[in-house]
Amino acid sequence: EKRREDITLVHIKDGTKEVRTAVGEGIVDIQSILDTSAEIGAQWLIVEDESEPGGLDSVARGIRNLKEKFTVR
């Protein structure tokens, strides 16, 4: 709570208990992360992808999911 203003970057990734997925395709509560990020004034969201095979296609899918499935403030 005390240092909220110091958080300017938030890294997000997603997955299930078994595998990593593109953001928005797993079980992580992405909307809560986005809401909290906005509340604390984070300026950047960094989309991480550790899925197999991963790569830029998975990152692009995660960004598309963010735009289509969630409210980003």
Side-chain angles (χ1 to χ4, degrees), residues 14-38:
D14 206 348
T16 68
K17 291 182 179 184
E18 294 82 29
V19 297
R20 298 282 185 209
T21 66
V23 170
E25 297 177 2
I27 61 171
V28 174
D29 186 353
I30 300 296
Q31 190 61 61
S32 289
I33 294 169
L34 297 175
D35 292 344
T36 301
S37 297

Side-chain angles (χ1 to χ4, degrees), residues 41-52:
Q43 299 172 4
W44 294 91
L45 291 173
I46 310 299
V47 176
E48 292 189 34
D49 186 275
E50 295 178 358
S51 64
E52 293 294 330

Side-chain angles (χ1 to χ4, degrees), residues 31 34-35 38 45 63 65-68 70-73:
Q31 190 61 61
L34 297 175
D35 292 344
L45 291 173
I63 292 169
N65 289 340
L66 281 173
K67 291 178 180 179
E68 294 174 359
F70 304 100
T71 302
V72 181
R73 300 185 276 160

